[in-house]
Amino acid sequence: MFKSYYQQHSLLSSDEIYEGLLSYGMFSDNLPSFLQSVDFFAWCKVQKQDTFQKTETTPVYYESIRNINIPRIITIPNPIAYRNLCFNLKNNWNDILLHFQTYTGNQDWKVSRIHIRKTKENKKILVLGKYDTLKVINRQIDKEQLFDMGFSDYREDDDPLLKFKIGARFQAHADISNCFGSIYTHSLTWAIAGKADAKVKANRKKKNWYNDLDSLLMNTNNGETHGILIGAHAYNLVSEIILVVIDYQLAEKDYKFIRHIDDYICLTESYEKAEKFLADLSNELRKFGLILNGKKVSIEGLPATRNSSWIVDISNHPVSLVDYLNYNLMVNYLDFLLSLLKTNNDDATILNYGIKVITGKRASNNAVEYLIDTVHHLVMIYPYLVGLLENQLFERYKVNVSTIKNISVNLLHYGTERNSYELVAYSIYFSLKYDFEFDINSSLLEKVGNLDDCLTLLLAYLYDKKKYGTRSKAVKQHKIIAEHLYNNNEDDYWLYYYEVLPANILKNYWSKMKKDKISFLKQVFNN
C-alpha cells in the first residue's frame, strides 16, 4: 500500500534512527568494505555524556572517481562529532517528523524519491541511484542495515511521472549545483523556524535544538558554515530538512514534479510554464543560498522516453532476452556498451549499469573470461568501475585468486603512478580479503606512503602488519608516521592514527576508546 513521505519516515523510531545513522550509516558505500561502526555505537550507548566533547573536528577525505572521471570527495566524520550529530537527530526526531509532515502535507504524490527508510530483509533488489524505477540485478542489502539511501519498494512508492505526462507537452530538468557543498548550515534554522524568527532566537542565550544542530554540523566540518559533508547517511537526512521546504513552495504553485536528492523533473503543459518552473525553483533555492547547475538545465518536448535513451537501448538489446551468454554474444554486448559510451560523452554509468545487467546471467567460461579481461582493461581508463569488481565479478563468478591478484597488481601500479588513491586502496583491500601478497621488495608503506591518503595508509598498515608482523620494522615505521600525524593535529588522518597507535600515546576520548578495544575495522581485517 502506498505510503507518503511522512508515513515512511514515521515508521522509524528515534532509537532506530540513532542506530541506523551511527551503527550502519557512518561509512559511505563508495569506500572499500573493510570498515564498520557497530562496535563504536555499542560503546557510545554505555558512556557518560561528558565523554562526548563538542568541539570542531576534521573529517577524513577520500577521493572517489565519478562516472565522468572527475573525483568527488567522500568524507568520514570524526566519530565523536558524528555521534553528537546523530544523537541530536535522535532526541529531536519527533520535531523533525513534524517538520516533514508540515512541508510534505500538500503533496498528492511523493516528491522526494530517495530518502532514508526501513529496509526489509526479504527485499534483495535495490535501485541504482536516481534511476529509481530500474531494478539493478542481484545487489543485496546487508540484513543488519536498517535503511539504504537508494532503496525503492513498488508496493509503497507511487510512480507519478506517467500520470504527469497525460496532458503535458514539455519536461523541465534541473539539478542543484554542488548541493551538499553549498548548504549553509545556518539555513537549517531558517528552514525549520523561518529566517527572521531563527535569527531572533539565535541571539537568545537558550538555544533551540535546531541551533544546536547547526553547531553540531559545523563541528563535523572544521567549524565551517558553508557545506555539509558527503558520505555518512546523517547528512542526507539533514539536507532533506531544507529541500522539503523548497518542495513545499513549488507544490503550492501546482507544479507536477519529483526530486531525486538534488535532481528535479517537472512536466508542464507549455514551454512557458516549464520556464516558469525553472525560474521559481531558482528563486526558492536562492532563499537558502543554493543555485542551479546551469549545465544541467534543460527543457525538452514530449513525448520522450521514460528513461535515458541509453537505458532504453540496453533494455532493447538481444541480451535481455537470454538467460545464458556464450562468447560471441558477450563480445557483441560489450562492444555495444562501448559504442553507447562513446556516443554519450564517455559517461561510465553506462558501463556500470550495462555490466550489472549481464552479471545476473549464466555465461560460458570463455565468455566470463572475456568479460573479466574487458572490465580489467576498462577500470584502468574509468576508475569509477572499480566498485564493480568485488561483487559483480570476483564473487559472482568465483574468480580465482591468481586472476584477482593480477588485476590488483595492475591497479596498484597504475594507481601509484597516477596518484589514483581509489585504485590503490581497492588493490590493497583485495589483497587483504583474498589473502595474497604483492611481489614487491619493500613494505607497502614505502610503495604508497607518498600518496598522503588516510585510507591508503591504513590499508597499507594492515597489509604490512599481516605480512611482516606487529613488531616488524615496517609496522614501527607506520607508528612513527601515525604519531607524527597525531601530534601535529593532522585530524584528517584520524582513522589511520587511531587504528595504528596504542592507548598510552593517544589522549582524551581516543585513549578511552582504545583502552576499551574499540576498532572501526571489520573483524576479518583486524587480526
Side-chain angles (χ1 to χ4, degrees), residues 67-102:
N67 58 306
I68 52 176
N69 263 7
I70 295 174
R72 167 179 285 163
I73 300 299
I74 303 295
T75 58
I76 303 173
N78 172 285
I80 298 297
Y82 184 66
R83 175 269 173 197
N84 291 339
L85 173 62
C86 295
F87 198 67
N88 176 282
L89 295 171
K90 168 189 181 296
N91 287 341
N92 300 290
W93 182 233
N94 286 337
D95 289 313
I96 294 171
L97 284 176
L98 179 60
H99 176 79
F100 287 157
Q101 185 179 34
T102 300

mmCIF file of all heavy atoms in Angstrom, residues 67-102:
data_model
loop_
_atom_site.group_PDB
_atom_site.id
_atom_site.type_symbol
_atom_site.label_atom_id
_atom_site.label_comp_id
_atom_site.label_asym_id
_atom_site.label_seq_id
_atom_site.Cartn_x
_atom_site.Cartn_y
_atom_site.Cartn_z
ATOM 1 N N ASN A 67 31.386 9.013 -12.406
ATOM 2 C CA ASN A 67 31.170 8.398 -13.718
ATOM 3 C C ASN A 67 31.765 9.200 -14.871
ATOM 4 O O ASN A 67 31.996 8.671 -15.952
ATOM 5 C CB ASN A 67 29.669 8.209 -13.956
ATOM 6 C CG ASN A 67 28.899 9.510 -13.866
ATOM 7 O OD1 ASN A 67 28.990 10.236 -12.879
ATOM 8 N ND2 ASN A 67 28.123 9.824 -14.887
ATOM 9 N N ILE A 68 32.060 10.483 -14.646
ATOM 10 C CA ILE A 68 32.638 11.314 -15.702
ATOM 11 C C ILE A 68 34.133 11.533 -15.464
ATOM 12 O O ILE A 68 34.732 12.471 -15.998
ATOM 13 C CB ILE A 68 31.900 12.667 -15.811
ATOM 14 C CG1 ILE A 68 31.821 13.351 -14.441
ATOM 15 C CG2 ILE A 68 30.514 12.480 -16.398
ATOM 16 C CD1 ILE A 68 31.192 14.737 -14.477
ATOM 17 N N ASN A 69 34.744 10.631 -14.693
ATOM 18 C CA ASN A 69 36.187 10.624 -14.425
ATOM 19 C C ASN A 69 36.676 11.875 -13.687
ATOM 20 O O ASN A 69 37.834 12.283 -13.845
ATOM 21 C CB ASN A 69 36.998 10.427 -15.713
ATOM 22 C CG ASN A 69 37.395 8.960 -15.902
ATOM 23 O OD1 ASN A 69 36.963 8.088 -15.146
ATOM 24 N ND2 ASN A 69 38.221 8.700 -16.886
ATOM 25 N N ILE A 70 35.801 12.482 -12.910
ATOM 26 C CA ILE A 70 36.158 13.609 -12.053
ATOM 27 C C ILE A 70 35.992 13.155 -10.609
ATOM 28 O O ILE A 70 34.990 12.519 -10.273
ATOM 29 C CB ILE A 70 35.260 14.829 -12.343
ATOM 30 C CG1 ILE A 70 35.513 15.347 -13.768
ATOM 31 C CG2 ILE A 70 35.496 15.941 -11.331
ATOM 32 C CD1 ILE A 70 34.566 16.448 -14.198
ATOM 33 N N PRO A 71 36.959 13.449 -9.735
ATOM 34 C CA PRO A 71 36.845 12.966 -8.351
ATOM 35 C C PRO A 71 35.767 13.683 -7.553
ATOM 36 O O PRO A 71 35.509 14.868 -7.755
ATOM 37 C CB PRO A 71 38.236 13.237 -7.764
ATOM 38 C CG PRO A 71 38.800 14.337 -8.597
ATOM 39 C CD PRO A 71 38.230 14.145 -9.970
ATOM 40 N N ARG A 72 35.139 12.951 -6.681
ATOM 41 C CA ARG A 72 34.216 13.511 -5.696
ATOM 42 C C ARG A 72 34.784 13.184 -4.315
ATOM 43 O O ARG A 72 35.230 12.064 -4.075
ATOM 44 C CB ARG A 72 32.819 12.911 -5.841
ATOM 45 C CG ARG A 72 31.898 13.210 -4.651
ATOM 46 C CD ARG A 72 30.517 12.622 -4.856
ATOM 47 N NE ARG A 72 29.751 13.400 -5.813
ATOM 48 C CZ ARG A 72 28.660 12.974 -6.426
ATOM 49 N NH1 ARG A 72 28.234 11.755 -6.212
ATOM 50 N NH2 ARG A 72 28.013 13.753 -7.266
ATOM 51 N N ILE A 73 34.776 14.161 -3.441
ATOM 52 C CA ILE A 73 35.329 13.955 -2.100
ATOM 53 C C ILE A 73 34.282 13.308 -1.196
ATOM 54 O O ILE A 73 33.243 13.904 -0.914
ATOM 55 C CB ILE A 73 35.819 15.277 -1.488
ATOM 56 C CG1 ILE A 73 36.905 15.900 -2.366
ATOM 57 C CG2 ILE A 73 36.346 15.037 -0.071
ATOM 58 C CD1 ILE A 73 38.134 15.049 -2.528
ATOM 59 N N ILE A 74 34.569 12.086 -0.772
ATOM 60 C CA ILE A 74 33.767 11.385 0.212
ATOM 61 C C ILE A 74 34.447 11.574 1.569
ATOM 62 O O ILE A 74 35.679 11.548 1.653
ATOM 63 C CB ILE A 74 33.680 9.882 -0.114
ATOM 64 C CG1 ILE A 74 33.111 9.665 -1.521
ATOM 65 C CG2 ILE A 74 32.838 9.149 0.935
ATOM 66 C CD1 ILE A 74 31.693 10.096 -1.704
ATOM 67 N N THR A 75 33.678 11.771 2.608
ATOM 68 C CA THR A 75 34.275 12.024 3.923
ATOM 69 C C THR A 75 33.880 10.964 4.946
ATOM 70 O O THR A 75 32.845 10.307 4.821
ATOM 71 C CB THR A 75 33.854 13.407 4.466
ATOM 72 O OG1 THR A 75 32.431 13.458 4.548
ATOM 73 C CG2 THR A 75 34.367 14.529 3.586
ATOM 74 N N ILE A 76 34.744 10.821 5.942
ATOM 75 C CA ILE A 76 34.438 10.007 7.123
ATOM 76 C C ILE A 76 34.537 10.951 8.317
ATOM 77 O O ILE A 76 35.628 11.404 8.667
ATOM 78 C CB ILE A 76 35.421 8.846 7.294
ATOM 79 C CG1 ILE A 76 35.438 7.970 6.038
ATOM 80 C CG2 ILE A 76 35.055 8.017 8.522
ATOM 81 C CD1 ILE A 76 36.518 6.898 6.062
ATOM 82 N N PRO A 77 33.428 11.306 8.932
ATOM 83 C CA PRO A 77 33.471 12.299 10.011
ATOM 84 C C PRO A 77 34.173 11.774 11.252
ATOM 85 O O PRO A 77 34.254 10.554 11.474
ATOM 86 C CB PRO A 77 31.984 12.572 10.291
ATOM 87 C CG PRO A 77 31.285 11.330 9.844
ATOM 88 C CD PRO A 77 32.065 10.804 8.682
ATOM 89 N N ASN A 78 34.697 12.691 12.050
ATOM 90 C CA ASN A 78 35.204 12.338 13.367
ATOM 91 C C ASN A 78 34.105 11.589 14.126
ATOM 92 O O ASN A 78 32.950 12.027 14.146
ATOM 93 C CB ASN A 78 35.603 13.613 14.112
ATOM 94 C CG ASN A 78 35.955 13.376 15.563
ATOM 95 O OD1 ASN A 78 35.077 13.163 16.393
ATOM 96 N ND2 ASN A 78 37.229 13.436 15.881
ATOM 97 N N PRO A 79 34.410 10.448 14.747
ATOM 98 C CA PRO A 79 33.332 9.622 15.322
ATOM 99 C C PRO A 79 32.558 10.293 16.456
ATOM 100 O O PRO A 79 31.330 10.122 16.550
ATOM 101 C CB PRO A 79 34.083 8.374 15.811
ATOM 102 C CG PRO A 79 35.501 8.805 15.980
ATOM 103 C CD PRO A 79 35.736 9.839 14.924
ATOM 104 N N ILE A 80 33.251 11.040 17.305
ATOM 105 C CA ILE A 80 32.552 11.690 18.416
ATOM 106 C C ILE A 80 31.651 12.808 17.896
ATOM 107 O O ILE A 80 30.492 12.943 18.317
ATOM 108 C CB ILE A 80 33.554 12.233 19.450
ATOM 109 C CG1 ILE A 80 34.369 11.082 20.051
ATOM 110 C CG2 ILE A 80 32.824 13.008 20.551
ATOM 111 C CD1 ILE A 80 33.568 10.062 20.817
ATOM 112 N N ALA A 81 32.174 13.605 16.972
ATOM 113 C CA ALA A 81 31.368 14.685 16.399
ATOM 114 C C ALA A 81 30.163 14.127 15.648
ATOM 115 O O ALA A 81 29.056 14.683 15.712
ATOM 116 C CB ALA A 81 32.228 15.547 15.480
ATOM 117 N N TYR A 82 30.370 13.012 14.940
ATOM 118 C CA TYR A 82 29.265 12.405 14.202
ATOM 119 C C TYR A 82 28.251 11.800 15.168
ATOM 120 O O TYR A 82 27.034 11.896 14.950
ATOM 121 C CB TYR A 82 29.787 11.335 13.247
ATOM 122 C CG TYR A 82 28.717 10.728 12.376
ATOM 123 C CD1 TYR A 82 28.061 11.495 11.405
ATOM 124 C CD2 TYR A 82 28.338 9.397 12.513
ATOM 125 C CE1 TYR A 82 27.064 10.950 10.611
ATOM 126 C CE2 TYR A 82 27.356 8.841 11.720
ATOM 127 C CZ TYR A 82 26.718 9.624 10.772
ATOM 128 O OH TYR A 82 25.731 9.074 9.986
ATOM 129 N N ARG A 83 28.742 11.203 16.258
ATOM 130 C CA ARG A 83 27.820 10.680 17.270
ATOM 131 C C ARG A 83 26.960 11.800 17.833
ATOM 132 O O ARG A 83 25.750 11.638 18.013
ATOM 133 C CB ARG A 83 28.616 9.990 18.381
ATOM 134 C CG ARG A 83 27.758 9.508 19.548
ATOM 135 C CD ARG A 83 27.657 10.581 20.642
ATOM 136 N NE ARG A 83 26.710 10.230 21.693
ATOM 137 C CZ ARG A 83 26.218 11.099 22.554
ATOM 138 N NH1 ARG A 83 26.564 12.394 22.496
ATOM 139 N NH2 ARG A 83 25.364 10.715 23.480
ATOM 140 N N ASN A 84 27.562 12.939 18.119
ATOM 141 C CA ASN A 84 26.806 14.064 18.677
ATOM 142 C C ASN A 84 25.721 14.535 17.711
ATOM 143 O O ASN A 84 24.611 14.882 18.113
ATOM 144 C CB ASN A 84 27.747 15.215 19.010
ATOM 145 C CG ASN A 84 28.671 14.894 20.174
ATOM 146 O OD1 ASN A 84 28.386 14.012 20.975
ATOM 147 N ND2 ASN A 84 29.785 15.600 20.259
ATOM 148 N N LEU A 85 26.056 14.543 16.428
ATOM 149 C CA LEU A 85 25.082 14.920 15.403
ATOM 150 C C LEU A 85 23.919 13.925 15.378
ATOM 151 O O LEU A 85 22.742 14.316 15.386
ATOM 152 C CB LEU A 85 25.772 14.980 14.039
ATOM 153 C CG LEU A 85 24.882 15.202 12.820
ATOM 154 C CD1 LEU A 85 24.166 16.553 12.907
ATOM 155 C CD2 LEU A 85 25.701 15.114 11.533
ATOM 156 N N CYS A 86 24.235 12.641 15.358
ATOM 157 C CA CYS A 86 23.188 11.608 15.325
ATOM 158 C C CYS A 86 22.336 11.634 16.592
ATOM 159 O O CYS A 86 21.123 11.400 16.547
ATOM 160 C CB CYS A 86 23.820 10.227 15.154
ATOM 161 S SG CYS A 86 24.672 9.992 13.579
ATOM 162 N N PHE A 87 22.967 11.920 17.723
ATOM 163 C CA PHE A 87 22.246 11.983 18.995
ATOM 164 C C PHE A 87 21.248 13.133 18.997
ATOM 165 O O PHE A 87 20.134 13.019 19.516
ATOM 166 C CB PHE A 87 23.244 12.131 20.146
ATOM 167 C CG PHE A 87 22.690 11.794 21.498
ATOM 168 C CD1 PHE A 87 22.317 10.498 21.816
ATOM 169 C CD2 PHE A 87 22.536 12.776 22.468
ATOM 170 C CE1 PHE A 87 21.798 10.178 23.068
ATOM 171 C CE2 PHE A 87 22.014 12.481 23.718
ATOM 172 C CZ PHE A 87 21.651 11.172 24.013
ATOM 173 N N ASN A 88 21.639 14.256 18.390
ATOM 174 C CA ASN A 88 20.719 15.389 18.262
ATOM 175 C C ASN A 88 19.523 15.007 17.399
ATOM 176 O O ASN A 88 18.369 15.313 17.737
ATOM 177 C CB ASN A 88 21.455 16.593 17.674
ATOM 178 C CG ASN A 88 20.545 17.776 17.416
ATOM 179 O OD1 ASN A 88 19.801 17.805 16.427
ATOM 180 N ND2 ASN A 88 20.597 18.770 18.282
ATOM 181 N N LEU A 89 19.775 14.340 16.288
ATOM 182 C CA LEU A 89 18.687 13.913 15.398
ATOM 183 C C LEU A 89 17.762 12.928 16.111
ATOM 184 O O LEU A 89 16.542 12.967 15.928
ATOM 185 C CB LEU A 89 19.274 13.300 14.129
ATOM 186 C CG LEU A 89 20.079 14.262 13.234
ATOM 187 C CD1 LEU A 89 20.798 13.499 12.137
ATOM 188 C CD2 LEU A 89 19.181 15.341 12.640
ATOM 189 N N LYS A 90 18.339 12.037 16.914
ATOM 190 C CA LYS A 90 17.537 11.085 17.699
ATOM 191 C C LYS A 90 16.638 11.822 18.688
ATOM 192 O O LYS A 90 15.427 11.575 18.751
ATOM 193 C CB LYS A 90 18.469 10.142 18.448
ATOM 194 C CG LYS A 90 17.785 9.283 19.523
ATOM 195 C CD LYS A 90 18.812 8.548 20.360
ATOM 196 C CE LYS A 90 18.168 7.668 21.432
ATOM 197 N NZ LYS A 90 17.411 8.422 22.441
ATOM 198 N N ASN A 91 17.236 12.709 19.462
ATOM 199 C CA ASN A 91 16.491 13.385 20.524
ATOM 200 C C ASN A 91 15.402 14.304 19.994
ATOM 201 O O ASN A 91 14.441 14.612 20.712
ATOM 202 C CB ASN A 91 17.450 14.180 21.409
ATOM 203 C CG ASN A 91 18.287 13.278 22.302
ATOM 204 O OD1 ASN A 91 17.930 12.120 22.527
ATOM 205 N ND2 ASN A 91 19.393 13.802 22.806
ATOM 206 N N ASN A 92 15.555 14.752 18.755
ATOM 207 C CA ASN A 92 14.590 15.689 18.184
ATOM 208 C C ASN A 92 13.849 15.089 16.994
ATOM 209 O O ASN A 92 13.323 15.816 16.147
ATOM 210 C CB ASN A 92 15.319 16.975 17.775
ATOM 211 C CG ASN A 92 15.980 17.637 18.966
ATOM 212 O OD1 ASN A 92 15.322 18.174 19.840
ATOM 213 N ND2 ASN A 92 17.308 17.570 19.013
ATOM 214 N N TRP A 93 13.799 13.755 16.964
ATOM 215 C CA TRP A 93 13.174 13.069 15.835
ATOM 216 C C TRP A 93 11.697 13.432 15.694
ATOM 217 O O TRP A 93 11.208 13.617 14.574
ATOM 218 C CB TRP A 93 13.349 11.564 15.999
ATOM 219 C CG TRP A 93 12.789 10.747 14.865
ATOM 220 C CD1 TRP A 93 11.908 9.715 14.952
ATOM 221 C CD2 TRP A 93 13.089 10.892 13.464
ATOM 222 N NE1 TRP A 93 11.625 9.201 13.707
ATOM 223 C CE2 TRP A 93 12.341 9.910 12.774
ATOM 224 C CE3 TRP A 93 13.897 11.746 12.737
ATOM 225 C CZ2 TRP A 93 12.380 9.766 11.389
ATOM 226 C CZ3 TRP A 93 13.940 11.615 11.354
ATOM 227 C CH2 TRP A 93 13.193 10.635 10.685
ATOM 228 N N ASN A 94 10.987 13.578 16.786
ATOM 229 C CA ASN A 94 9.564 13.936 16.694
ATOM 230 C C ASN A 94 9.382 15.323 16.074
ATOM 231 O O ASN A 94 8.443 15.549 15.306
ATOM 232 C CB ASN A 94 8.908 13.884 18.068
ATOM 233 C CG ASN A 94 8.682 12.459 18.547
ATOM 234 O OD1 ASN A 94 8.606 11.530 17.740
ATOM 235 N ND2 ASN A 94 8.600 12.274 19.857
ATOM 236 N N ASP A 95 10.265 16.264 16.416
ATOM 237 C CA ASP A 95 10.200 17.596 15.803
ATOM 238 C C ASP A 95 10.522 17.543 14.317
ATOM 239 O O ASP A 95 9.919 18.263 13.511
ATOM 240 C CB ASP A 95 11.170 18.550 16.510
ATOM 241 C CG ASP A 95 10.712 18.914 17.913
ATOM 242 O OD1 ASP A 95 9.525 19.257 18.073
ATOM 243 O OD2 ASP A 95 11.526 18.840 18.838
ATOM 244 N N ILE A 96 11.475 16.699 13.955
ATOM 245 C CA ILE A 96 11.832 16.546 12.547
ATOM 246 C C ILE A 96 10.672 15.920 11.781
ATOM 247 O O ILE A 96 10.343 16.346 10.667
ATOM 248 C CB ILE A 96 13.121 15.708 12.413
ATOM 249 C CG1 ILE A 96 14.300 16.470 13.007
ATOM 250 C CG2 ILE A 96 13.406 15.383 10.943
ATOM 251 C CD1 ILE A 96 15.567 15.647 13.129
ATOM 252 N N LEU A 97 10.030 14.919 12.391
ATOM 253 C CA LEU A 97 8.856 14.305 11.757
ATOM 254 C C LEU A 97 7.744 15.328 11.554
ATOM 255 O O LEU A 97 7.090 15.345 10.494
ATOM 256 C CB LEU A 97 8.340 13.142 12.611
ATOM 257 C CG LEU A 97 9.132 11.836 12.560
ATOM 258 C CD1 LEU A 97 8.534 10.830 13.535
ATOM 259 C CD2 LEU A 97 9.148 11.257 11.148
ATOM 260 N N LEU A 98 7.532 16.181 12.535
ATOM 261 C CA LEU A 98 6.508 17.222 12.404
ATOM 262 C C LEU A 98 6.858 18.176 11.264
ATOM 263 O O LEU A 98 5.980 18.595 10.499
ATOM 264 C CB LEU A 98 6.382 17.992 13.720
ATOM 265 C CG LEU A 98 5.362 19.141 13.740
ATOM 266 C CD1 LEU A 98 3.951 18.619 13.438
ATOM 267 C CD2 LEU A 98 5.390 19.862 15.087
ATOM 268 N N HIS A 99 8.145 18.494 11.145
ATOM 269 C CA HIS A 99 8.608 19.352 10.041
ATOM 270 C C HIS A 99 8.317 18.678 8.703
ATOM 271 O O HIS A 99 7.797 19.318 7.775
ATOM 272 C CB HIS A 99 10.112 19.601 10.218
ATOM 273 C CG HIS A 99 10.742 20.390 9.118
ATOM 274 N ND1 HIS A 99 10.635 21.759 9.025
ATOM 275 C CD2 HIS A 99 11.494 19.997 8.056
ATOM 276 C CE1 HIS A 99 11.297 22.186 7.956
ATOM 277 N NE2 HIS A 99 11.826 21.142 7.349
ATOM 278 N N PHE A 100 8.634 17.387 8.599
ATOM 279 C CA PHE A 100 8.373 16.660 7.355
ATOM 280 C C PHE A 100 6.877 16.586 7.060
ATOM 281 O O PHE A 100 6.442 16.723 5.911
ATOM 282 C CB PHE A 100 8.968 15.256 7.424
ATOM 283 C CG PHE A 100 10.464 15.202 7.317
ATOM 284 C CD1 PHE A 100 11.175 14.125 7.826
ATOM 285 C CD2 PHE A 100 11.180 16.213 6.690
ATOM 286 C CE1 PHE A 100 12.555 14.062 7.729
ATOM 287 C CE2 PHE A 100 12.563 16.163 6.578
ATOM 288 C CZ PHE A 100 13.247 15.080 7.099
ATOM 289 N N GLN A 101 6.079 16.373 8.087
ATOM 290 C CA GLN A 101 4.628 16.310 7.898
ATOM 291 C C GLN A 101 4.093 17.656 7.412
ATOM 292 O O GLN A 101 3.256 17.718 6.497
ATOM 293 C CB GLN A 101 3.943 15.904 9.200
ATOM 294 C CG GLN A 101 2.443 15.706 9.070
ATOM 295 C CD GLN A 101 1.814 15.269 10.381
ATOM 296 O OE1 GLN A 101 2.255 15.677 11.453
ATOM 297 N NE2 GLN A 101 0.794 14.427 10.308
ATOM 298 N N THR A 102 4.584 18.731 7.998
ATOM 299 C CA THR A 102 4.134 20.080 7.634
ATOM 300 C C THR A 102 4.476 20.417 6.191
ATOM 301 O O THR A 102 3.640 20.972 5.462
ATOM 302 C CB THR A 102 4.780 21.119 8.574
ATOM 303 O OG1 THR A 102 4.400 20.831 9.914
ATOM 304 C CG2 THR A 102 4.352 22.528 8.196
#
